[in-house]
Amino acid sequence: MSNSNTSRMRSIFRTKTSKALDRMEDPRDMLDDSYDQQVKLLQQVRQALAEVATAKKRVDLQGQELGNRYQRLGAQAKEAISQGREDLARAALERRSLIERQVAQLQQQYAGMQAQTSQLEDRERRLSEQIAAFRIEKETIKATYTASEAQVKANEAVAGIGATIDDVGTSLDRARDRVAQMQARAAATDELLASGALKDLTAPPDADIERQLAALSAKAEVDRQIAELKGTEGGSGGRRTGGADDAGEWLSIGQGPTG
């Protein structure tokens, strides 16, 4: 592989790598990713809070059931004593004592879950406030970055337009120079043709002699008209050579002496 191809491939690789890094370093993407992570964390806290609330409800239901049995066993013990059945009353009270120990355990679990719930609720509240504040700041930063990015693009576009206009101006200047050169060349060739330095291949034979004779005839005609004007000014009844009355005689112009 030649050095030029290797250099070109390295340039392309650097360009693509730079674009990839620009995408990775885009603060808007970074802020959105951070916001999403915080939202996921909040969801996890809320899920844990719901799970603790569910477990606490189950303990509460078990406590209510044991409480109902506790009250029922107390009533049964009283009924057994009233009927002279101390043995039944004793059995009811023994079971009631066992329920008391179970209820005490449930009460400890319930209290621990209550403390955990309060802790999770406080964490959920603070995290929600933090995320809300972060979201506002995130959107503000994104809007500022987007506006700055748009300004950069606009400035780059203006710079590109300026460069294009400069190129157009350069092209116009070159075109004007070419036109001036061609006009000067055309005038020079006309003079050369007129002087005979250049031969007009499209002209008929002996055109140069005819051109010189025509010039002499034109000069002689001018001399004649000058002499006629002088003679008219010297005489008293000379004919006028122009005026409103001669306006209809334009057809005779160039047809020879008017006398």
Side-chain angles (χ1 to χ4, degrees):
M1 183 178 295
S2 63
N3 294 331
S4 60
N5 291 335
T6 302
S7 177
R8 183 171 179 272
M9 290 184 65
R10 288 178 179 175
S11 178
I12 294 174
F13 177 76
R14 284 196 298 268
T15 301
K16 291 184 177 180
T17 303
S18 177
K19 291 181 178 179
L21 290 175
D22 289 341
R23 287 194 298 268
M24 291 175 61
E25 295 176 355
D26 192 329
R28 294 170 295 188
D29 296 336
M30 296 171 61
L31 290 171
D32 287 337
D33 291 340
S34 179
Y35 179 77
D36 292 340
Q37 292 177 3
Q38 294 184 48
V39 171
K40 289 179 181 179
L41 180 60
L42 178 61
Q43 292 174 349
Q44 293 176 359
V45 172
R46 288 175 174 173
Q47 183 178 359
L49 184 60
E51 292 175 354
V52 172
T54 301
K56 188 175 70 171
K57 186 62 177 178
R58 286 199 300 266
V59 171
D60 181 54
L61 293 175
Q62 290 178 2
Q64 291 179 14
E65 183 180 354
L66 291 175
N68 292 333
R69 284 188 63 194
Y70 184 83
Q71 297 296 333
R72 189 166 57 251
L73 287 171
Q76 288 176 351
K78 289 180 180 180
E79 181 67 21
I81 290 296
S82 66
Q83 294 185 10
R85 293 292 305 273
E86 184 177 345
D87 58 331
L88 292 178
R90 188 178 296 277
L93 292 174
E94 288 176 355
R95 293 180 183 178
R96 196 181 191 210
S97 177
L98 178 61
I99 288 176
E100 285 180 0
R101 291 194 295 270
Q102 293 176 348
V103 168
Q105 293 177 356
L106 288 178
Q107 288 173 349
Q108 291 179 357
Q109 293 180 7
Y110 191 83
M113 292 179 181
Q114 186 65 34
Q116 189 176 4
T117 299
S118 299
Q119 183 180 7
L120 288 173
E121 288 176 348
D122 181 66
R123 184 175 300 176
E124 190 270 343
R125 177 184 56 79
R126 288 187 289 107
L127 189 56
S128 297
E129 293 175 354
Q130 176 182 342
I131 291 176
F134 180 81
R135 182 179 62 82
I136 295 175
E137 185 175 4
K138 172 180 73 75
E139 294 302 326
T140 301
I141 294 175
K142 287 175 62 178
T144 303
Y145 183 85
T146 301
S148 300
E149 184 182 40
Q151 184 177 359
V152 169
K153 291 181 179 179
N155 291 339
E156 290 177 349
V158 170
I161 292 174
T164 302
I165 291 176
D166 291 340
D167 293 340
V168 172
T170 302
S171 299
L172 287 175
D173 290 339
R174 292 178 61 186
R176 293 190 185 101
D177 291 340
R178 293 290 295 172
V179 170
Q181 292 175 6
M182 190 58 65
Q183 289 176 339
R185 185 175 179 182
T189 53
D190 285 342
E191 293 178 0
L192 291 174
L193 284 173
S195 64
L198 287 180
K199 185 177 181 180
D200 187 0
L201 299 179
T202 61
D206 305 324
D208 55 338
I209 297 177
E210 293 181 1
R211 184 167 55 250
Q212 294 180 36
L213 291 175
L216 292 175
S217 298
K219 182 177 183 302
E221 177 63 20
V222 171
D223 292 341
R224 184 192 63 77
Q225 292 181 11
I226 292 293
E228 182 179 355
L229 289 174
K230 290 180 179 180
T232 301
E233 290 178 356
S236 59
R239 183 180 176 182
R240 292 182 302 168
T241 59
D245 294 339
D246 299 332
E249 299 179 1
W250 63 272
L251 294 175
S252 63
I253 294 176
Q255 302 301 318
T258 56

